[in-house]
Amino acid sequence: MTSLLHLDSSANRSGESLSRQLTSLFADTWRSVHGTAGYRYRDLAADPVPPLGTAYCSLGRRVERHGLVPPPEVDALAESPAEKREWALTRPLVSELLAADTLLVGAPMYNYSVAASLKAWIDRVGFPGALTDPDTGESLLRATRVVVITTQGGSYGPGTPRESWDFQTPYLRTYFGGQGVADENLSFVGVEMTMAGLVPHLARFRPLAESSLVAARAEVTALATAAPRSAIDADVGTMPMAATRLGAPG
């Protein structure tokens, strides 16, 4: 069964959130194609993932000393109630991620990076060895398709004055790539100048903001109806899905 894990991280849970609007468009379109059975939603703002604690670090280091430990065997290495609690918080998130054929992430830019709610999820699912096949050492996310929808209040694309200020998209690209997601399975759709409609001194950029949003909606719909690709497809030379970033984010 085809499955989708949908994450929202915007602190703005109203209908004004563009990242939520676009992830909702993706999810609605995906469900119209694949049905609802494989769909799972997690609102990281409404139900925050707890930040890491000392017990998480202690357990993680003990696991690393044992090499690649499959998640079912981590429980046996927990030496305190606090460590057991940390793993109890972590394992369902890891299982949820590994069960998904497609991961959809809504990622607005906050202070030039990602929301703390998304960072907390990233930190927790990155538990040592949890996303690695203990038998082969290969990433368990190699064939997972990841679609990241970014929204940015300004413009940080190539050639813009604030290009070097973008610690959001490069970070997420590096993170998922570092976790083994194949390049051809990693797609970014970005909307730029989202503050142009609100801030008077950005009013001249409103046409750019609108065209960016229109293009993003079209790309989101196309990605939601596309069939997931496996890493095996890429290895045998079929045409890869290009990672996408529409203009400069905003």
Side-chain angles (χ1 to χ4, degrees):
M1 178 177 64
T2 302
S3 56
L4 171 67
L5 174 59
H6 171 186
L7 304 179
D8 274 325
S9 64
S10 174
N12 184 355
R13 299 176 60 216
S14 75
E16 295 179 347
S17 168
L18 287 179
S19 68
R20 288 177 180 269
Q21 289 178 28
L22 289 168
T23 60
S24 179
L25 173 61
F26 185 104
D28 289 345
T29 305
W30 186 92
R31 286 193 296 259
S32 72
V33 175
H34 300 287
T36 61
Y39 175 74
R40 185 166 182 84
Y41 178 64
R42 184 173 289 274
D43 189 331
L44 298 174
D47 185 17
V49 173
L52 307 186
T54 300
Y56 178 102
C57 300
S58 299
L59 179 59
R61 289 178 178 178
R62 189 174 306 112
V63 166
E64 287 184 306
R65 286 194 290 270
H66 283 77
L68 292 176
V69 178
E73 297 178 17
V74 172
D75 285 303
L77 295 176
E79 295 182 351
S80 69
E83 289 183 358
K84 292 181 184 297
R85 284 194 298 272
E86 288 287 346
W87 182 237
L89 291 169
T90 304
R91 186 173 180 181
L93 301 178
V94 171
S95 298
E96 216 172 50
L97 174 57
L98 293 178
D101 297 315
T102 299
L103 171 66
L104 171 66
V105 182
M109 175 184 272
Y110 289 161
N111 297 310
Y112 314 113
S113 187
V114 300
S117 59
L118 178 56
K119 183 60 166 61
W121 179 87
I122 285 172
D123 288 344
R124 195 163 283 278
V125 298
F127 188 84
L131 304 179
T132 305
D133 187 323
D135 296 323
T136 67
E138 296 293 322
S139 170
L140 294 171
L141 298 181
R142 179 68 182 167
T144 302
R145 184 171 66 143
V146 177
V147 177
V148 180
I149 296 175
T150 65
T151 54
Q152 299 178 339
S155 183
Y156 301 84
T160 63
R162 295 189 175 186
E163 177 182 355
S164 65
W165 294 26
D166 181 2
F167 298 95
Q168 173 202 37
T169 306
Y171 165 69
L172 291 171
R173 189 180 297 280
T174 300
Y175 173 75
F176 286 115
Q179 291 292 353
V181 176
D183 288 344
E184 62 274 6
N185 285 339
L186 182 56
S187 300
F188 283 80
V189 180
V191 183
E192 64 180 337
M193 301 302 301
T194 63
M195 295 297 291
L198 300 175
V199 181
H201 74 268
L202 295 178
R204 67 187 186 278
F205 296 113
R206 288 174 186 172
L208 176 59
E210 181 59 29
S211 64
S212 177
L213 181 57
V214 169
R217 286 173 176 151
E219 184 67 9
V220 163
T221 301
L223 287 169
T225 55
R229 298 182 67 257
S230 70
I232 296 175
D233 293 332
D235 291 340
V236 298
T238 55
M239 184 65 68
M241 180 190 300
T244 303
R245 186 176 182 217
L246 299 179

